[in-house]
Amino acid sequence: MSGNRRRFFQDAAFFSAGFFGLAEALRGNTQASDPKTARAIEQGRHHSPYGDHKKKETPPAPSGPDPYLRMTTPDLPDLPHEMDGAVKVFHLIAEPVKRKIAPFKTIDAWGYNGSCPGPTLQVQQGERVRIIFENRLPESTSIHWHGLEVPIEQDGVPWISQKPIAPGEKYTYEFTVHQEGTFFYHSHGAMQEMMGMIGFFVAHPERSYKPHADRDFGVILQEWAILPNNTVPNTAAMEYNWLTFNGVSAPAITPMIARLGSRVRLRIINMGMDHHPIHLHGNQFVLTGTEGGRAPESTWYPMNTVLVGVAQARVVEFDAKYPGSWMVHCHLPHHMMNNMMDLLRDRAIETANTTDARALSQMETLAKSVPFEHVHHSPIAENANSVPGFPQDAFMEMGMDDAVEKPETHGLPPNWSAGMMGMMTLVRVLPDKEYEEMMHRIKSPATPAQKEHHHES
């Protein structure tokens, strides 16, 4: 018998034995019902190079949504809520507000609930929300829920999805949040937007993001056109001279605090007229989300500068591996400065034709009016005024540590605020001991008397 025929009959016999063994098992044969024999037959039927295909037990589904980490919005409050059964109810009021954007500059803006930008709304995916909106502005307005998928009658576009909300009137928005992500609310009037009418609307996921973040921060980017000796933004202007994070210009912006070794999430939304390349010093981050929600991890890649376009949200995350006070700022050069033309109210600072003595005199006058202790700018050469192009940055430093002091600035080096202007803030990554001390300071800020005693010691 040839080798081929012999292998054919051996294979046929093996197949027949396997088939009859399976048939016996299906008929309840005692031998095949033996666990070892049954397991061998099952493995023989489903053998695969990709591994065992035995059915695995599915873990029970969670009974409710995961707990979530609330986002912190430096220099802005959260909007409180109350519950009406299963509905989360917010009360949102549009009204004129005064906003101190720098120690020496207060503007007349429009916002919500006494804040500009407006307070942060935080909800969770799957929740039903009701926003009872009241208009205390001198003109009609409405609210658009940017990025949220809501019924047309809740979309907030005057005359298309609703009638404008007249001064003194109330309007109720109600919808179920079936998305997760970083969204925002704003007036759907273009010039009202430029008066400051925007706020965060964060929808935390029903199932927690992976990897888990330990700190979650939010920043709103805005631009303002405020002419010298004026307090009302010029919303028709196309050039902007004040740039803010969360309604505040550096160095008055509150630093963000993170523990060494933690994972930090930073949500950035842009409601202005320009794009902003936001850069983080000393670290790499990944882009994990947009105004459309969480991005698949397969799309993440390392970077340290993210471009945030108009009406966009960008969410980045990084591991805080390096201790220090790391700058976060827009990298457009003119967005890293405050307006230099109305610092002294009725006198303009001239940066192109100034001597050291004159610049020092002007800054000391400003310091007395705020007040803060002005520290002399960085050294310049003896022949500086004879060099074409001087001065540039030489007389722009405005160290005002005392005027912007708060718990989050404790421990920064003297005159740290001198080079902080415009869209600039810090992420302070602190080791465990310093982090715990900082959290205690933030939760229990010192009284003026305690501060005075501290300085005397």
Side-chain angles (χ1 to χ4, degrees):
M1 183 182 293
S2 68
N4 288 339
R5 294 187 64 190
R6 185 182 298 112
R7 280 193 297 274
F8 170 79
F9 286 114
Q10 288 174 345
D11 291 344
F14 177 81
F15 173 79
S16 299
F19 176 81
F20 287 116
L22 175 59
E24 290 297 317
L26 294 174
R27 286 197 298 267
N29 181 279
T30 53
Q31 182 181 3
S33 64
D34 177 76
K36 293 183 180 179
T37 305
R39 185 162 55 248
I41 294 171
E42 185 70 16
Q43 289 175 346
R45 292 173 60 206
H46 295 282
H47 174 70
S48 166
Y50 300 103
D52 187 0
H53 285 226
K54 289 185 297 182
K55 185 177 180 180
K56 295 181 173 61
E57 298 218 357
T58 304
S63 58
D66 294 342
Y68 61 86
L69 173 69
R70 293 185 69 84
M71 185 188 74
T72 299
T73 322
D75 301 305
L76 294 176
D78 275 7
L79 186 64
H81 70 273
E82 55 194 31
M83 297 302 297
D84 181 7
V87 181
K88 185 175 281 189
V89 182
F90 297 90
H91 294 266
L92 191 63
I93 302 169
E95 59 187 353
V97 301
K98 288 188 179 293
R99 181 60 158 161
K100 180 181 282 191
I101 61 175
F104 49 87
K105 188 69 174 180
T106 298
I107 66 172
D108 287 290
W110 290 2
Y112 302 95
N113 296 66
S115 177
C116 178
T120 298
L121 278 71
Q122 303 205 46
V123 304
Q124 189 163 20
Q125 184 180 15
E127 288 185 324
R128 185 141 184 105
V129 298
R130 181 183 305 143
I131 300 98
I132 301 172
F133 176 72
E134 180 181 352
N135 181 14
R136 295 183 184 174
L137 297 173
E139 62 187 37
S140 297
T141 188
S142 66
I143 297 287
H144 172 60
W145 311 100
H146 192 107
L148 286 165
E149 298 168 2
V150 298
I152 184 62
E153 62 272 14
Q154 307 298 316
D155 195 48
V157 181
W159 300 114
I160 293 179
S161 60
Q162 68 172 92
K163 290 183 178 180
I165 305 167
E169 286 188 351
K170 291 185 179 181
Y171 188 91
T172 299
Y173 296 93
E174 185 166 335
F175 48 86
T176 299
V177 180
H178 62 84
Q179 300 161 263
E180 54 75 26
T182 303
F183 310 107
F184 45 106
Y185 63 92
H186 61 83
S187 163
H188 214 271
M191 300 178 85
Q192 290 181 3
E193 292 174 12
M194 300 307 296
M195 280 292 286
M197 301 189 71
I198 181 178
F200 263 109
F201 188 110
V202 174
H204 297 280
E206 186 177 16
R207 297 287 167 251
S208 298
Y209 294 141
K210 304 295 182 185
H212 170 77
D214 303 291
R215 296 305 308 271
D216 192 336
F217 297 102
V219 174
I220 295 175
L221 314 179
Q222 289 173 291
E223 302 139 6
W224 309 87
I226 309 172
L227 298 174
N229 307 317
N230 279 265
T231 62
V232 178
N234 181 359
T235 59
M238 295 295 175
E239 295 183 0
Y240 303 91
N241 54 3
W242 284 93
L243 293 303
T244 59
F245 282 172
N246 291 346
V248 187
S249 191
I253 302 167
T254 299
M256 296 172 279
I257 310 298
R259 187 194 298 270
L260 181 64
S262 66
R263 186 173 180 84
V264 179
R265 177 181 300 127
L266 178 59
R267 308 173 191 248
I268 311 163
I269 60 177
N270 179 8
M271 197 58 177
M273 283 286 291
D274 206 348
H275 64 287
H276 298 286
I278 302 299
H279 174 56
L280 170 64
H281 285 209
N283 296 266
Q284 314 305 319
F285 53 63
V286 291
L287 178 67
T288 61
T290 70
E291 68 281 357
R294 187 78 165 179
E297 189 170 349
S298 60
T299 67
W300 301 358
Y301 55 90
M303 59 177 129
N304 50 60
T305 305
V306 61
L307 187 65
V308 188
V310 174
Q312 290 184 337
R314 291 293 180 265
V315 184
V316 300
E317 296 180 17
F318 67 97
D319 293 321
K321 299 184 290 186
Y322 310 112
S325 296
W326 303 105
M327 187 171 287
V328 180
H329 65 94
C330 177
H331 221 290
L332 289 175
H334 277 193
H335 294 187
M336 292 187 283
M337 49 172 43
N338 292 323
N339 175 47
M340 300 299 291
M341 295 307 295
D342 65 343
L343 298 181
L344 302 179
R345 296 178 178 84
D346 58 340
R347 290 186 294 166
I349 287 183
E350 300 173 4
T351 60
N353 217 358
T354 302
T355 64
D356 189 15
R358 184 177 176 186
L360 181 60
S361 174
Q362 288 178 323
M363 289 301 185
E364 287 178 342
T365 300
L366 173 63
K368 291 177 182 177
S369 68
V370 172
F372 61 89
E373 181 182 356
H374 177 64
V375 177
H376 196 276
H377 57 77
S378 300
I380 61 175
E382 291 184 1
N383 67 334
N385 284 96
S386 66
V387 178
F390 176 85
Q392 294 300 322
D393 288 333
F395 303 132
M396 293 184 67
E397 292 183 353
M398 295 183 292
M400 52 183 75
D401 297 6
D402 294 343
V404 297
E405 182 183 9
K406 58 191 70 175
E408 291 86 350
T409 65
H410 177 78
L412 290 171
N415 211 35
W416 68 270
S417 59
M420 298 284 290
M421 292 178 282
M423 286 181 162
M424 307 175 82
T425 189
L426 298 171
V427 174
R428 302 189 64 189
V429 179
L430 304 177
D432 287 345
K433 182 180 178 181
E434 288 85 345
Y435 178 83
E436 296 297 341
E437 291 175 352
M438 178 64 73
M439 291 297 103
H440 177 72
R441 285 178 176 274
I442 293 171
K443 293 176 181 177
S444 306
T447 63
Q450 289 173 319
K451 288 182 180 180
E452 183 179 353
H453 177 75
H454 171 73
H455 289 312
E456 289 176 353
S457 64

